Amino acid sequence: MKYKEIIDELTLEEKELLLTGGGALATAENKRVGIPKLTMSDGPHGVRRLLKHPNPDYEQICNIGGGDVCFPTASALGSSWNKELLYEIGSAIAVDCKEEGIDVLLSPGINMKRTPLCGRNFEYFSEDPILSAELGIAYVKGLQENGVGTSLKHFALNNQEIDRSSISVEVDERTLREYYLKAFELIVKNAKPMSVMCAYNKIGGIWCSENQWLLDYVLRKEWGFDGLIVSDWHAVHSPSKALAAGLDLQMPKNSRIAEELTYGLENGIITIEDIDRSVERILSFVYNLKSGEQILKQNQEKGTYPYDRNKQHNIAKKAALESITLLKNENNTLPISREEYKSIAIFGTYAEEPVIMGGGSSKVTVSEESIDKPLDYIKRYVGNQTQIIYESLFDKIASGMKIKQRIHNIAKEAELAIVFLANEPECEREGIDRDRLTFSEYMNEYTKEIGRVFKKMIVIMQTGSCTASNGWEHRADSILQMWYSGEGGGSAIAEILFGIENPSGKLSETFITRIRKDMDYPGDGTKVWYREGVFNGYRYYDKYQQDVWYPFGHGLSYTNFEYSDLQITPENSDNESQKVKVQFKIKNIGNRAGKEVPQLYVGKLDSIVLRPEKELQAFDKIFLLPGEEKILNFELNDRAFTYYNTYLRNWHVESGIYNIMIGASSQDIRLNGKYKVYWEKDYSGIMKNEALIL
Ligand code: GLC
């Protein structure tokens, strides 16, 4: 035991007190033995400062002038598909954590998006586990390599906010492992987050906070996680059962922890070994971040690098530029050239009051003056060459006719209308799910009217998750998904509108126009059944040829890219450790530089188990000058061909022919190849004969 001396020094009660918070957002300190506390804060997209709270224990001060930096939220960053950027974001937020004296950032959130209605989708990267994992690995490394701990959350199956603290998720093990746990597994194995936060809900009737199979068997023994397991706040129902299941730190502070754990000891629910084991993990957690050299380094660093908020802001803006996604662009409406229009109409209050994030515990306290307003930057760019007519519109609950008349009057003076739509922060927030997939009725109505009377219309959507049009989409010449793009989004969108920057975002979730009727959501108040299995997002829509508004991985550019020369070597595998190299070329055939995200999908032909038509296995984001061509190489190992066999209770590979697809989106496949897998321990035939295959 690494900290045996300290642990032997501690009384039972001192040990028990270490197993809960020292407050709302800190670990407990022990002055007698000299164990320091760690401070924690939320905000996957920036450091959250809770300036006002009914419980003063939660209140925090803000040391940064201009407020903490608000970066684009996870669903936006997920659409950047840029691993290097996510490392940079993690590193930048670590700078803010240091400035605020925060040791652990309670992030990233990596739950899969099962329904676009989930109120916290803006805090999650994607509907796909590989995209979430790759970006999550980079983000965790960015924070931890800069001295700030992370807490991978919410483990697991917190895919809705309705009844989140009571619902039991009923799901088969294959779905759980192949889809809902996969991103957690890959991030734990490849980035070693210092902590994992358990979710509120139950799985198969057992609270996540007391689920030994989940916390100990899978997370620790199978995946080799050796960090700290912390509860979500108030997610513990029985301190002793939670400790026995492997949960180490019960947040927030439970003032009855000592008597509750002593009761557990006296009644055989837990042992002193359980307590010592978790105390040791707490000590490792604390001293990894508060070690002598760490404190010395921080003190040496303090003040040596003057905090530069503007530099941080520019990183937030760069991230917005990489995330904004161009969904539609007809008649070369975008980019706008200043000479093209004598006057441009801007509609929607979100042009001057952009919605830059959602609501709940992730809310960053950023001051108003730190937020770029799209309207300001549009005006600044056009200067006095073009008249800008601004009508805030949506915030006026005036009579319909007056506003419609206003729209008609403006249409007499301007040919182009730019409409800003949004889901207000309290519409997408922690603790609730949305009750509608579309924008509000009045936003839809006015957008339709604008599309009816203006020659050209560009629609810009500020949302955290897919929000559908209700009748205006065919009238829009161009549609941009701006996401919740953080404090720099307002200048980023202006630079994309006027072509200073070329958009390069690709949807990190499928955009749909109607909610699936076949899905059990939100359940019956006690249970929710994931009967759809792994068939979520593009895994469902592509497999069953269901219409979507815009597919997973979709995003246009102001230039075009040509894919060619797919080579798969070897074409056949002859042993189970075979790696396969996939090479192809991409050329920028347009007249301006741009970034493209080639996506590699794998699908099994005539599989004996029900499998998605394709699953993302690799991707990259590359920059190409006009006319430039690059060769890309991906390498796949056996994991790219496996499915989880619940009879074997292990990952399994079917021998046979697989499709290797290179796409510009999940539905825009540009190159197709075949790869024949030989898997010596392929029991499929046996299982097939014994009809063991689901
Ligand atoms: C909340 C959230 C979690 C957050 C924690 C601390 O309830 O579920 O994401 O980190 O409490 O604020």
Side-chain angles (χ1 to χ4, degrees), residues 24-25 41-43 48 58 106-107 120 123 153-154 158 161 164 197 200 232-233 361 430:
L25 289 160
S41 187
D42 275 305
R48 175 200 186 198
Y58 275 83
L106 301 170
S107 66
R120 291 188 86 171
E123 285 190 66
K153 69 188 186 180
H154 306 88
N158 182 178
E161 291 300 292
R164 70 170 179 169
M197 183 190 294
Y200 285 115
D232 201 339
W233 269 234
S361 64
E430 178 179 345

Coordinates of all heavy atoms in Angstrom, one line a residue, residues 24-25 41-43 48 58 106-107 120 123 153-154 158 161 164 197 200 232-233 361 430, ligand 1:
A24 N -18.9 21.3 -0.9 CA -19.7 21.0 -2.1 C -18.8 20.6 -3.3 O -19.1 19.8 -4.1 CB -20.5 22.2 -2.5
L25 N -17.6 21.3 -3.4 CA -16.8 21.1 -4.6 C -15.3 21.0 -4.2 O -14.5 21.6 -4.7 CB -17.0 22.3 -5.5 CG -18.4 22.3 -6.2 CD1 -18.7 23.7 -6.7 CD2 -18.4 21.3 -7.4
S41 N -14.3 21.9 -10.0 CA -15.2 22.8 -10.6 C -15.8 22.1 -11.9 O -15.1 21.3 -12.5 CB -14.6 24.1 -11.0 OG -15.5 25.0 -11.4
D42 N -17.0 22.5 -12.2 CA -17.6 22.1 -13.5 C -17.1 22.9 -14.6 O -16.3 23.8 -14.5 CB -19.1 22.2 -13.4 CG -19.7 21.0 -12.7 OD1 -19.4 19.9 -13.2 OD2 -20.4 21.2 -11.7
G43 N -17.7 22.4 -15.7 CA -17.8 23.1 -16.9 C -17.0 22.4 -18.0 O -15.8 22.7 -18.1
R48 N -16.5 26.8 -14.4 CA -17.8 27.4 -13.9 C -17.5 28.0 -12.6 O -16.9 27.4 -11.7 CB -18.8 26.2 -13.7 CG -20.1 26.7 -13.1 CD -20.7 25.5 -12.5 NE -22.1 25.7 -12.0 CZ -22.7 24.9 -11.2 NH1 -22.1 23.8 -10.8 NH2 -23.9 25.1 -10.7
Y58 N -21.4 26.3 -1.9 CA -21.3 26.2 -3.3 C -20.7 27.4 -4.0 O -20.2 27.4 -5.1 CB -22.6 25.9 -4.0 CG -23.0 24.4 -3.9 CD1 -23.6 23.9 -2.8 CD2 -22.8 23.6 -5.0 CE1 -24.0 22.5 -2.7 CE2 -23.1 22.2 -5.0 CZ -23.7 21.7 -3.8 OH -24.1 20.4 -3.8
L106 N -14.5 18.8 -13.6 CA -15.5 17.7 -13.7 C -16.0 17.5 -15.1 O -17.1 17.9 -15.4 CB -16.6 18.0 -12.7 CG -16.2 18.1 -11.2 CD1 -17.3 18.6 -10.4 CD2 -15.6 16.8 -10.7
S107 N -15.1 16.9 -15.9 CA -15.4 16.7 -17.3 C -14.4 15.8 -17.9 O -13.4 15.5 -17.2 CB -15.4 18.1 -18.0 OG -14.0 18.5 -18.0
R120 N -29.1 17.6 -22.0 CA -27.7 17.8 -21.9 C -26.9 17.4 -23.1 O -25.6 17.3 -23.0 CB -27.1 17.0 -20.7 CG -27.6 17.6 -19.4 CD -27.0 16.9 -18.2 NE -25.7 17.6 -17.8 CZ -25.0 17.3 -16.7 NH1 -25.4 16.3 -15.9 NH2 -23.9 17.9 -16.4
E123 N -23.7 19.0 -23.9 CA -22.5 18.7 -23.1 C -21.8 17.5 -23.6 O -20.8 17.0 -23.0 CB -22.9 18.5 -21.7 CG -23.2 19.8 -20.9 CD -23.3 19.5 -19.4 OE1 -22.3 19.2 -18.8 OE2 -24.4 19.6 -18.9
K153 N -17.4 11.4 -17.3 CA -18.8 11.3 -16.8 C -19.8 11.2 -17.9 O -19.5 11.5 -19.1 CB -19.1 12.5 -15.9 CG -19.3 13.9 -16.7 CD -19.4 15.0 -15.7 CE -19.7 16.3 -16.4 NZ -19.8 17.5 -15.5
H154 N -21.0 10.6 -17.7 CA -21.6 10.1 -16.4 C -21.7 8.6 -16.6 O -22.4 8.2 -17.5 CB -22.9 10.7 -16.1 CG -22.9 12.2 -16.2 ND1 -23.2 12.9 -17.3 CD2 -22.7 13.1 -15.2 CE1 -23.1 14.2 -17.1 NE2 -22.8 14.4 -15.8
N158 N -26.5 7.6 -18.8 CA -27.3 8.8 -18.4 C -27.6 9.5 -19.8 O -26.9 10.4 -20.1 CB -26.4 9.7 -17.5 CG -27.1 11.0 -17.1 OD1 -26.6 11.7 -16.3 ND2 -28.3 11.2 -17.6
E161 N -32.5 13.3 -19.3 CA -32.6 14.0 -18.1 C -33.9 13.7 -17.4 O -34.0 13.8 -16.2 CB -32.4 15.5 -18.4 CG -31.0 15.9 -18.8 CD -29.9 15.5 -17.8 OE1 -29.9 16.2 -16.7 OE2 -29.2 14.6 -18.0
R164 N -33.8 11.2 -14.4 CA -32.4 10.8 -14.4 C -32.0 10.2 -13.1 O -31.1 9.4 -13.0 CB -31.5 11.9 -14.8 CG -31.3 13.0 -13.8 CD -30.2 14.0 -14.1 NE -30.1 15.1 -13.1 CZ -29.1 15.9 -13.0 NH1 -28.1 15.8 -13.9 NH2 -29.1 16.8 -12.1
M197 N -16.8 9.6 -13.0 CA -17.9 9.9 -12.2 C -19.1 9.0 -12.5 O -19.5 8.9 -13.7 CB -18.4 11.4 -12.4 CG -19.5 11.9 -11.6 SD -20.2 13.5 -12.2 CE -18.8 14.6 -11.8
Y200 N -26.4 9.0 -12.1 CA -27.5 9.0 -11.2 C -28.3 7.7 -11.3 O -28.9 7.2 -10.3 CB -28.4 10.2 -11.4 CG -27.9 11.5 -10.9 CD1 -27.6 12.5 -11.8 CD2 -27.7 11.7 -9.6 CE1 -27.1 13.7 -11.4 CE2 -27.2 12.9 -9.1 CZ -26.9 13.9 -10.0 OH -26.4 15.1 -9.6
D232 N -21.7 11.1 -8.8 CA -22.4 12.3 -9.2 C -22.9 12.9 -7.9 O -23.1 12.2 -6.9 CB -23.4 12.1 -10.3 CG -23.7 13.4 -11.0 OD1 -23.4 14.5 -10.5 OD2 -24.2 13.4 -12.2
W233 N -23.2 14.2 -7.9 CA -23.6 14.9 -6.7 C -25.0 14.3 -6.2 O -26.0 14.4 -6.9 CB -23.6 16.4 -6.9 CG -22.3 17.0 -6.6 CD1 -22.1 18.0 -5.7 CD2 -21.0 16.6 -7.1 NE1 -20.7 18.4 -5.7 CE2 -20.0 17.5 -6.5 CE3 -20.5 15.6 -8.0 CZ2 -18.7 17.4 -6.8 CZ3 -19.2 15.5 -8.2 CH2 -18.3 16.4 -7.7
S361 N -25.3 22.8 -14.6 CA -24.0 22.8 -13.9 C -22.9 23.2 -14.7 O -21.8 23.5 -14.3 CB -23.8 21.5 -13.2 OG -23.6 20.5 -14.3
E430 N -29.4 21.0 -18.2 CA -29.4 19.9 -17.3 C -30.7 19.8 -16.5 O -31.3 20.8 -16.1 CB -28.3 20.1 -16.3 CG -28.2 19.0 -15.2 CD -27.0 19.2 -14.3 OE1 -26.1 20.0 -14.6 OE2 -27.0 18.5 -13.3
Ligands
GLC1 C1 -24.4 17.6 -11.5 C2 -24.0 17.0 -12.8 C3 -22.6 16.7 -13.0 C4 -21.8 17.8 -12.3 C5 -22.0 17.7 -10.8 C6 -21.3 18.7 -10.0 O1 -25.6 17.2 -11.0 O2 -24.8 15.8 -13.2 O3 -22.3 16.7 -14.4 O4 -20.4 17.6 -12.5 O5 -23.4 17.7 -10.5 O6 -21.9 20.0 -10.2

